[in-house]
Amino acid sequence: MKKKLVSVLLVACMALSLTACGKNDAGNKKNDAADNTQTEGTENSDAEEGADTEEGAEGGSITNSDTNVLYINLASEPDYLDPALNSSVDGGCLAVNTFAGLYTYDKEGNLIPDLAVDMPEVSAEEENEGKIYTVKLKESKWSNGDDLKAQDFVYSWNRACAEETAADYGYLFDIIARKDDGTLAVEATDDYTLVITLVNPCPYFNDLMAFPTFFPVHQASVEAADPDGSVPGKWAQEAGFVCNGAYTLESWNHDESMVYKKNANYHNVDSVTMEELHFMLSADDTAIYAAYNSGDVDYIDTVPNDEISSLNGVNPEFGILDNLGTYYIGFNVNDPIFDGKTVEEAAKMRQAMNLLIDRQFIVENIGQSGQIVADSFVPLGMADGNGGEFKQADTSYYDAETTGAAMVEDAKKLMEEAGYSFTDNGDGTYKIDPAINMTYLTNDGTGHVAIAQAVQQDLGVLGITMEIQTQDWNVFLENRKNGSFTIAREGWLADYNDPVNMLEIFTSDSGNNDMQLGKGEKSDSAPDWAEYDALITEIRNTADFAKRVELMHKAEDMLMNTWAVVPLYYYNDIYMQKPNVDGIYATVYGMKYFMNATKK
Amino acid sequence: MAKYIGKRLVLAIVSILIVSAITFFVMNAIPGGPFNKEKATSAEAQKVLEERYNLDKPIGEQYVLYLNNLMHGDWGISLHNGRDIWDEIQMRFQVSAKLGGMAAAVAIVIGLVLGSIAALTRNKLPDRLIIFFTTLGTAMPSFVLATLLLLIFCLKLGWFPVWSSSNPNYVLPIIALSVYPMAYITRLTKTSMLDSLNQDYVRTAKAKGVPGWKVIFKHALRNALVPVVTYVGPMVAYILTGSMVVENIFTIGGLGSTFVTSIVNRDYTMIMAVTLFLAILMVFANLLTDIAYKMIDPRITFE
């Protein structure tokens, strides 16, 4: 008996020791906006699986009975609660529940006025057509009782884009014109009227006005907390800061919990159905899932990766939300494997490898939550800025459903055109000459590594050898930015609903252009990229929205024709919600609104 | 004694300086940076931030600046979220110290008691049971234990909440933290107690008719304490600074997870502060240990 007990414990220890590593980047996980799907799940515990699946099968039907309090987990400690400085999705969720901007989204995802009285009045006269926005504001108050006026927006926006604020999203204000003194061309013509002048007509400006970076902040609080401007976010570092949204932060135990209470001064306070929001601050999948199953938490948006297959389609509490974004991998166009090739040959090599990747396998076996395989870079469902959807039936760059084994011959042909020859191994695989050795760069994370292994196997069919480099989060980001890889794991979750948000990643001056297009010393095999830069500038300056759509398609064509970008699937987002909870809704950018939630 | 302590303090400052230098230069040598994000920070913003935190200066100058600020009691602010480092350390340490303090107390008290019992009942049932469970306790890493505790007491039995915003419960994390040191102390106590029970002075005490309990407490246990104290000093310092694993599983905002997160984020000021804090704590724990030796065994001299 003793022996048996010891051996059982030993097995448990060994199984768990396998999962001991890789917990660290869970902390980061929620900080990166583009990376919020379950594929990021950083740990999977074999030993826990048995017990957890059992809980899952029971449907986690244990619910708590505090009908006035919603218990939520979104992530661990947010970096910034200041809406101007925040750049994470979970921080954005907190912002939309604590601050009110000019516009917001309803349950159906429609843009509706929030502090604005109505949709903006846009200038129609010849010269300034589509450039001058006039927004009338409702009378409203800050949570401390101060009046909130149009001047607050003038201050907040100028602050958010000021150089010394160094906000990640400061660049979003670039579409607003500047006055001679360098401040934004945003005027409060009276206490409740805001007049905004844009550089060029912009189809997504209304959307931006609902984005947290555009929310107002309380000037007196900001300046009192940080008189010399050296710590811009200081005013919102502890509970009790002044805000204007549905909830105020009452208490905050760091890395443990946050308690939000209904803000009596919120302009739309009557519509708020949930009295309090209590956030569990954790990024530990196991703890979060356990808290959900024990009924301590009502709503979570991560589950351990191994659990997804047993929950999806089985447990009615498990849900999937659409997201606007693309998971992709990308080639470094300056990588030595392309040395000596022409631009066309290098593109053919990348196209061939693109065709070899079995996307269906990846979404079914690794993603597991019904992601749609991607055949374009601009994600499905994204607006085109001219009243339609950007992605049409003909904006498909390959048949994403059949890439993989069925495409081996096509891929082989492309590689032959690029100067490679093959000898048949007799088992459906080939030996390539000359040999290709390359690296695949990814951060530690079960989903990411599994995708890398799938790609490795797919490329192996043509004898291409690929080494997977799994790096610590921060090192990964650095090496990816510097182009120290042949292929890197990538992802982009849209900030606003316009294709230019996806396309401008690849201008040669962009910090996100990891594919090094137009960067560094131009090699003979790297595509000429000045034309793309010019095209993006033209898109930004085009007032004719129909023409703009055309230009954006042209830009995507150009990007995809380099085959440096290999879209795998379009992002979606998972959540679990207790059956007695209702009324929580989310936008395609991952923002979740809790104020209209009800609990039985 | 005072001279000895003075000497030790000077040595302590030197070792802390060495620790700070090693940490500072190694930390800056590892790849990655504090402003790396999935969506890149713009070049302009990065420049402003680097200037603000002196990261644009040569590394040697940065170190001198850092030490200079530290002398003035300025630990700086977090590069990651702009929080005041000293406030953050204080706040986190309070949590970790509360938890760790209770865990250390539990480990020491129970460890000593069990160790003594095991020594006194050598090769009888209580001894065997205690040794069996302490072997288990030293063999099981805290993350295994923490996960098992969570599974059994929170999910299966429902005795404790996994997480609570109003009423956090420290029972399970204390158990998870204290089992290993408790088991270790038990074994140490047993061994050294057995050793001192065989000493001449114990036999003499027994022979001259000293009551049994007095022989155990005054003669045997007291002399058995020296090796235990050697272990307990650093153990307490270590346990007070928190455990990332236990803190993550039980959602506790202590210093342990802060340390790990700061390294992942390359939050240089926070890495420095936590390392120095831990170093100072360790140095003090060692000093206190040495003083404790003297109190337990007056024969020990500080020469």
Side-chain angles (χ1 to χ4, degrees):
Chain A
M1 177 62 203
K2 205 194 265 178
K3 223 173 183 178
K4 200 176 165 193
L5 183 65
V6 171
S7 59
V8 166
L9 278 161
L10 269 177
V11 169
C13 293
M14 280 161 65
L16 276 161
S17 68
L18 296 174
T19 71
C21 316
K23 291 205 176 192
N24 314 2
D25 71 333
N28 280 311
K29 160 184 177 191
K30 294 297 183 134
N31 300 338
D32 40 286
D35 215 1
N36 74 336
T37 75
Q38 64 291 347
T39 52
E40 176 75 2
T42 45
E43 71 221 50
N44 300 285
S45 170
D46 302 292
E48 283 149 22
E49 191 179 12
D52 282 350
T53 324
E54 209 177 301
E55 293 293 328
E58 284 166 19
S61 51
I62 309 165
T63 55
N64 62 67
S65 53
D66 315 340
T67 51
N68 288 327
V69 185
L70 193 63
Y71 298 96
I72 305 158
N73 172 271
L74 295 178
S76 57
E77 186 98 348
D79 292 338
Y80 288 105
L81 293 182
D82 182 336
L85 288 173
N86 167 65
S87 59
S88 67
V89 174
D90 52 289
C93 292
L94 295 174
V96 297
N97 288 288
T98 33
F99 291 89
L102 293 172
Y103 296 93
T104 187
Y105 295 94
D106 66 9
K107 276 184 176 20
E108 281 76 42
N110 301 315
L111 193 72
I112 54 165
D114 199 359
L115 281 184
V117 174
D118 219 328
M119 294 315 283
E121 210 176 279
V122 185
S123 57
E125 75 269 27
E126 192 76 28
E127 186 191 356
N128 285 318
E129 192 186 342
K131 284 193 192 170
I132 300 176
Y133 281 59
T134 307
V135 181
K136 293 265 183 212
L137 272 72
K138 292 170 191 160
E139 285 188 27
S140 68
K141 288 192 187 306
W142 290 97
S143 58
N144 67 349
D146 289 359
D147 285 322
L148 194 160
K149 294 178 176 164
Q151 288 85 352
D152 286 306
F153 277 94
V154 178
Y155 166 75
S156 306
W157 290 9
N158 274 302
R159 169 183 179 268
C161 67
E163 200 174 72
E164 46 301 353
T165 310
D168 289 342
Y169 278 131
Y171 75 89
L172 289 179
F173 293 89
D174 289 351
I175 57 166
I176 300 178
R178 301 269 173 164
K179 290 192 275 199
D180 293 338
D181 60 357
T183 58
L184 294 173
V186 178
E187 302 277 0
T189 50
D190 63 53
D191 282 353
Y192 294 100
T193 309
L194 206 54
V195 179
I196 305 143
T197 310
L198 303 186
V199 181
N200 288 299
C202 173
Y204 55 87
F205 186 62
N206 288 348
D207 260 324
L208 280 186
M209 287 190 283
F211 192 74
T213 316
F214 284 71
F215 289 172
V217 295
H218 188 245
Q219 182 169 5
S221 302
V222 175
E223 291 175 349
D226 179 37
D228 62 354
S230 60
V231 194
K234 197 162 180 64
W235 66 281
Q237 282 183 346
E238 292 303 333
F241 60 85
V242 177
C243 59
N244 74 328
Y247 296 95
T248 55
L249 181 57
E250 290 292 309
S251 70
W252 184 359
N253 290 322
H254 292 277
D255 269 331
E256 293 177 11
S257 61
M258 289 170 116
V259 172
Y260 282 92
K261 290 197 171 145
K262 194 197 266 191
N263 170 15
N265 282 322
Y266 176 47
H267 75 95
N268 201 6
V269 68
D270 296 338
S271 73
V272 180
T273 49
M274 186 53 65
E275 289 297 322
E276 295 184 18
L277 308 177
H278 292 198
F279 289 91
M280 172 189 188
L281 301 178
S282 171
D284 188 297
D285 287 358
T286 315
I288 295 167
Y289 192 56
Y292 182 81
N293 282 327
S294 69
D296 296 318
V297 173
D298 302 313
Y299 184 94
I300 60 175
D301 65 359
T302 35
V303 300
N305 211 51
D306 279 359
E307 302 296 336
I308 296 173
S309 56
S310 66
L311 292 168
N312 189 12
V314 179
N315 189 328
E317 296 169 24
F318 181 88
I320 296 171
L321 298 166
D322 285 334
N323 264 180
L324 218 45
T326 308
Y327 187 104
Y328 65 103
I329 58 179
F331 284 94
N332 169 12
V333 294
N334 293 334
D335 192 78
I337 71 159
F338 303 117
D339 281 354
K341 302 286 170 196
T342 64
V343 175
E344 290 72 29
E345 283 169 345
K348 275 182 181 161
M349 287 166 69
R350 293 188 289 259
Q351 185 184 4
M353 292 189 234
N354 180 15
L355 290 179
L356 286 174
I357 297 168
D358 187 345
R359 291 169 171 80
Q360 211 65 43
F361 175 85
I362 289 173
V363 298
E364 275 167 20
N365 297 291
I366 304 168
Q368 299 178 62
S369 60
Q371 288 95 341
I372 296 173
V373 290
D375 57 5
S376 66
F377 183 60
V378 174
L380 200 66
M382 191 169 239
D384 66 0
N386 193 32
E389 255 187 45
F390 186 77
K391 186 165 166 43
Q392 300 295 331
D394 61 345
T395 43
S396 161
Y397 295 91
Y398 47 85
D399 184 359
E401 313 249 331
T402 60
T403 54
M407 288 301 191
V408 171
E409 286 309 314
D410 298 45
K412 187 165 149 267
K413 198 162 151 268
L414 284 164
M415 290 301 282
E416 280 163 356
E417 285 167 24
Y420 291 89
S421 57
F422 294 89
T423 41
D424 200 333
N425 287 339
D427 57 353
T429 63
Y430 295 89
K431 194 172 178 306
I432 192 167
D433 181 58
I436 298 182
N437 294 305
M438 53 191 211
T439 56
Y440 184 111
L441 185 67
T442 177
N443 59 313
D444 202 356
T446 324
H448 298 316
V449 177
I451 288 175
Q453 287 160 346
V455 172
Q456 187 180 41
Q457 210 151 32
D458 289 339
L459 299 188
V461 174
L462 282 191
I464 301 168
T465 47
M466 189 182 91
E467 182 204 346
I468 300 170
Q469 289 186 347
T470 308
Q471 293 180 342
D472 164 65
W473 174 248
N474 212 300
V475 182
F476 161 73
L477 289 179
E478 186 113 331
N479 284 334
R480 190 173 72 172
K481 199 172 172 173
N482 297 335
S484 312
F485 61 88
T486 315
I487 302 182
R489 180 235 112 196
E490 295 276 353
W492 192 267
L493 192 67
D495 301 310
Y496 50 88
N497 198 351
D498 192 271
V500 82
N501 184 231
M502 308 290 296
L503 297 171
E504 69 187 4
I505 297 170
F506 296 104
T507 57
S508 48
D509 61 351
S510 159
N512 292 304
N513 181 356
D514 303 326
M515 275 61 261
Q516 315 295 322
L517 288 157
K519 287 196 174 197
E521 207 176 306
K522 184 171 167 346
S523 59
D524 293 336
S525 56
D528 191 11
W529 212 235
E531 201 188 325
Y532 188 85
D533 292 343
L535 196 53
I536 297 294
T537 311
E538 197 184 346
I539 291 166
R540 287 180 185 144
N541 295 336
T542 301
D544 177 351
F545 291 162
K547 179 152 180 261
R548 190 171 173 274
V549 178
E550 229 172 86
L551 291 172
M552 290 193 296
H553 278 298
K554 201 173 148 197
E556 195 189 21
D557 289 347
M558 227 179 128
L559 176 66
M560 291 304 294
N561 287 340
T562 67
W563 297 99
V565 168
V566 182
L568 296 184
Y569 59 79
Y570 305 118
Y571 273 119
N572 61 16
D573 197 7
I574 55 169
Y575 68 93
M576 289 193 79
Q577 177 180 319
K578 291 287 178 191
N580 60 336
V581 175
D582 199 14
I584 299 170
Y585 64 97
T587 65
V588 284
Y589 318 107
M591 305 292 168
K592 299 183 172 85
Y593 296 76
F594 298 108
M595 52 278 240
N596 298 333
T598 54
K599 208 167 149 188
K600 289 197 281 278
Chain B
M1 179 85 170
K3 194 176 154 207
Y4 172 77
I5 293 177
K7 216 159 103 190
R8 283 292 297 266
L9 279 177
V10 173
L11 267 177
I13 292 170
V14 173
S15 35
I16 287 167
L17 264 177
I18 294 172
V19 167
S20 80
I22 294 175
T23 315
F24 195 89
F25 292 104
V26 169
M27 163 183 96
N28 275 286
I30 51 174
F35 310 121
N36 282 346
K37 292 184 181 170
E38 173 94 39
K39 294 193 176 182
T41 308
S42 72
E44 295 81 29
Q46 180 128 0
K47 197 160 157 265
V48 170
L49 292 170
E50 279 174 0
E51 271 169 29
R52 183 178 294 160
Y53 300 119
N54 292 326
L55 298 180
D56 53 338
K57 302 200 168 59
I59 180 84
E61 196 182 335
Q62 283 184 41
Y63 181 59
V64 174
L65 275 171
Y66 181 81
L67 283 186
N68 189 30
N69 287 338
L70 204 58
M71 297 301 160
H72 295 87
D74 177 7
W75 291 74
I77 62 171
S78 161
L79 308 184
H80 190 61
N81 57 22
R83 289 178 178 280
D84 187 271
I85 296 279
W86 185 237
D87 290 352
E88 188 87 350
I89 296 247
Q90 271 182 316
M91 180 183 76
R92 305 271 179 174
F93 182 63
Q94 274 173 20
V95 176
S96 286
K98 195 162 105 189
L99 192 67
M102 285 191 273
V106 167
I108 294 169
V109 171
I110 300 184
L112 284 176
V113 171
L114 289 184
S116 307
I117 294 175
L120 294 171
T121 60
R122 190 180 182 191
N123 291 338
K124 294 194 193 118
L125 184 67
D127 175 35
R128 286 173 186 248
L129 275 178
I130 288 169
I131 293 310
F132 173 73
F133 282 109
T134 50
T135 309
L136 214 67
T138 42
M140 186 146 51
S142 61
F143 66 89
V144 176
L145 186 66
T147 316
L148 279 179
L149 289 171
L150 189 81
L151 221 70
I152 296 167
F153 293 102
C154 301
L155 287 172
K156 294 286 172 209
L157 300 173
W159 290 0
F160 303 102
V162 176
W163 164 86
S164 163
S165 52
S166 49
N167 189 20
N169 199 302
Y170 278 178
V171 174
L172 298 181
I174 286 174
I175 297 176
L177 277 177
S178 60
V179 162
Y180 179 83
M182 182 183 79
Y184 202 90
I185 291 171
T186 306
R187 294 163 70 85
L188 266 180
T189 312
K190 184 197 162 189
T191 320
S192 60
M193 186 97 161
L194 279 176
D195 199 40
S196 55
L197 281 174
N198 289 330
Q199 296 287 326
D200 292 346
Y201 56 81
V202 171
R203 205 178 328 137
T204 312
K206 276 185 188 158
K208 71 178 186 185
V210 177
W213 60 270
K214 211 174 169 185
V215 174
I216 292 165
F217 281 99
K218 195 158 175 219
H219 298 278
L221 184 61
R222 182 165 176 173
N223 285 294
L225 275 180
V226 174
V228 177
V229 165
T230 313
Y231 170 71
V232 164
M235 180 275 285
V236 170
Y238 197 71
I239 212 173
L240 287 185
T241 50
S243 144
M244 193 237 353
V245 172
V246 172
E247 285 171 9
N248 277 354
I249 290 181
F250 294 105
T251 319
I252 292 164
L255 210 51
S257 47
T258 310
F259 194 20
V260 177
T261 319
S262 70
I263 295 171
V264 173
N265 291 329
R266 305 289 187 274
D267 189 349
Y268 294 147
T269 41
M270 186 59 99
I271 298 176
M272 283 304 287
V274 185
T275 317
L276 288 182
F277 190 77
L278 185 63
I280 292 169
L281 219 58
M282 276 296 178
V283 166
F284 264 95
N286 280 326
L287 185 59
L288 289 179
T289 310
D290 288 354
I291 295 169
Y293 284 157
K294 175 94 183 157
M295 286 160 69
I296 294 165
D297 188 349
R299 287 173 307 177
I300 294 174
T301 55
F302 292 132
E303 290 316 315

